Amino acid sequence: MRRLFTVWFAWLVLMAGANLATPLYAVYAERFHFSPLVLTAIFATYAIVLVPALILFGRLSDRFGRRPVVAGGLATACVGLALFAAAEGTAWLFAARAVQGLAVGMISGAATAALVELDPHGSRRRAALGAGLAQAGGSALGPLVAGVLAVWALDPTRLCYLVTLACTLVAAALVLRLPERREGAPEPWRPQWPRVPAEIRRPFLRVGLTAGVVWAVMALFLSIVPSYTELLLSTKNLAVVGAIAALGLLASFVAQSVLERLAGSHRRDQALGCVLLALGLGGVVTAAPAGSIALLIGGSILAGIGHGIAFLTAQQELNERAPDERRGEVTAAFIACIYFLVASFVIASGLLGSVFSLDSSVEAVGSVLIVLALGVAAWQATTWRVAAPRRRAAAPRSAAARR
């Protein structure tokens, strides 16, 4: 379990570092004098770089091993954090986000595959939970840490990056001590788009679209919802802004932890998660017109619960369907679907925000995402009784296993 925790911790730290800037974008905008469109472009640069990185590194860990790819990604992440800490202009922020996208693109497929392979029982279900908790927990931890340090610590735009840089170096050192699993001779590597085996392409599209939509909503929380929160609450307190941005992801973390203990159906639960996500996002969208803080907070929590349910069960279904010898590649394709939708909606929100008001931008993009989430829920609902595998409740661990 120590080896499993090492990979999980590395991914958690990576995702925290990738989202540290969330509550600080308003500070950078004021300091470097850029518009909301530039803000969303900086945020989206991460996803734009990440997808090509998956093309380059999608099968790399399948052929050369998980350890060198994860360690290399963590080293790359350190460069991104250093660029943020030294930022002296908008170009530095673009460069930092690009490097962070490269790091996450290198690690994502390899880390997911390693969670399966290092599990003592080869549990794909536990690997899916670990992946979901690392992504949601890390993405929530970043804004929380940055917001708190920005308010109560010296040098708010540097200290959070330096602290996370130190944690990332520790994670890299631990990863380098992991054993490498080798089975057979490695094939020659060449860059290629991650391919999905023909026999699983249709269910892959369904779970990929589910995960893409729910993460596009969370990307909205991490990009323009902080500015939306500042307007609604009339506050410049970055700790509050960071907490609101992280609220949905914290709810997702809790929902995934609870769901793991319950039996159910992957497809039914993905449908349920998408419906809850749509309802929660509806609350966030109407919070500003209604002037309601309760709608913003309640909607964020409900959307986060929906995100956790839908993403965890989508990841579980993917892990069960992906062939062992191509797990890293299929996972890379899955993540590429997610970040393609994330980049598309973040850029759309920036373009709308540059023409109309921030409220209008959130309402327009949020409304489209609500329709998409309900559409995906309907697709899942039409298939959940057709040869749909059921998910068993997690068996309680023995005292020996807990030790």
Side-chain angles (χ1 to χ4, degrees):
M1 292 302 290
R2 179 181 60 80
R3 297 170 180 174
L4 200 65
F5 177 78
T6 295
V7 176
W8 185 84
F9 173 72
W11 202 352
L12 180 83
V13 170
L14 176 77
M15 296 308 299
N19 291 285
L20 280 172
T22 294
L24 301 176
Y25 283 129
V27 176
Y28 291 130
E30 183 176 342
R31 180 177 299 177
F32 301 139
H33 310 291
F34 57 75
S35 67
L37 177 59
V38 174
L39 186 156
T40 52
I42 292 169
F43 184 91
T45 298
Y46 166 85
I48 292 170
V49 172
L50 189 150
V51 174
L54 289 166
I55 298 173
L56 291 172
F57 297 98
R59 296 199 70 185
L60 194 66
S61 72
D62 287 336
R63 299 182 182 186
F64 295 124
R66 317 302 182 196
R67 183 179 61 196
V69 175
V70 174
L74 290 170
T76 305
C78 288
V79 175
L81 292 167
L83 286 170
F84 261 122
E88 295 181 355
T90 306
W92 289 73
L93 305 182
F94 275 106
R97 288 297 284 172
V99 172
Q100 287 183 330
L102 176 61
V104 176
M106 292 173 67
I107 288 178
S108 297
T112 301
L115 288 173
V116 175
E117 293 164 359
L118 292 174
D119 189 278
H121 306 291
S123 172
R124 299 186 181 195
R125 174 174 172 171
R126 187 156 51 193
L129 178 65
L133 292 181
Q135 288 175 271
S139 298
L141 188 61
L144 284 174
V145 169
V148 169
L149 292 180
V151 173
W152 289 295
L154 298 174
D155 208 355
T157 58
R158 285 189 171 86
L159 183 60
C160 61
Y161 299 112
L162 296 177
V163 169
T164 309
L165 176 59
C167 293
T168 306
L169 289 171
V170 170
L174 293 173
V175 165
L176 287 172
R177 298 178 62 186
L178 291 174
E180 188 60 79
R181 172 177 166 175
R182 291 284 186 182
E183 294 183 359
E187 304 174 45
W189 176 78
R190 64 185 184 280
Q192 64 181 38
W193 182 262
R195 294 171 298 173
V196 177
E199 62 272 18
I200 66 168
R201 282 177 188 164
R202 185 172 178 82
F204 172 86
L205 178 60
R206 177 171 45 77
V207 299
L209 185 58
T210 300
V213 168
V214 299
W215 269 107
V217 172
M218 289 299 108
L220 201 65
F221 279 73
L222 293 169
S223 56
I224 63 173
V225 165
S227 299
Y228 183 76
T229 301
E230 287 186 4
L231 290 175
L232 178 60
L233 302 183
S234 300
T235 182
K236 293 290 185 181
N237 187 308
L238 296 182
V240 172
V241 171
I244 295 294
L247 192 56
L249 287 157
L250 289 173
S252 173
F253 186 96
V254 174
Q256 291 181 59
S257 302
V258 172
L259 185 67
E260 172 64 7
R261 302 177 181 276
L262 304 175
S265 160
H266 289 142
R267 303 183 195 182
R268 185 200 66 193
D269 292 344
Q270 286 174 71
L272 173 63
C274 286
V275 170
L276 293 176
L277 182 94
L279 292 173
L281 186 55
V284 172
V285 165
T286 56
S292 172
I293 299 172
L295 275 176
L296 176 64
I297 294 174
S300 298
I301 293 172
L302 189 58
I305 292 171
H307 172 276
I309 294 171
F311 179 64
L312 174 62
T313 48
Q315 181 76 68
Q316 285 177 341
E317 185 175 349
L318 178 84
N319 281 359
E320 290 181 4
R321 293 181 180 276
D324 288 346
E325 69 279 5
R326 296 179 63 181
R327 186 181 296 118
E329 181 183 19
V330 172
T331 302
F334 177 70
I335 296 166
C337 290
I338 292 173
Y339 282 101
F340 174 78
L341 285 174
V342 165
S344 299
F345 280 99
V346 168
I347 291 171
S349 66
L351 290 171
L352 289 171
S354 66
V355 178
F356 305 103
S357 67
L358 181 63
D359 292 359
S360 299
S361 173
V362 172
E363 289 169 15
V365 174
S367 297
V368 173
L369 283 168
I370 288 170
V371 172
L372 272 178
L374 293 176
V376 172
W379 186 6
Q380 296 283 5
T382 60
T383 65
W384 79 48
R385 297 185 184 278
V386 183
R390 290 189 61 78
R391 191 186 69 256
R392 296 181 180 179
R397 292 183 296 164
S398 66
R402 285 193 292 271
R403 289 196 298 270

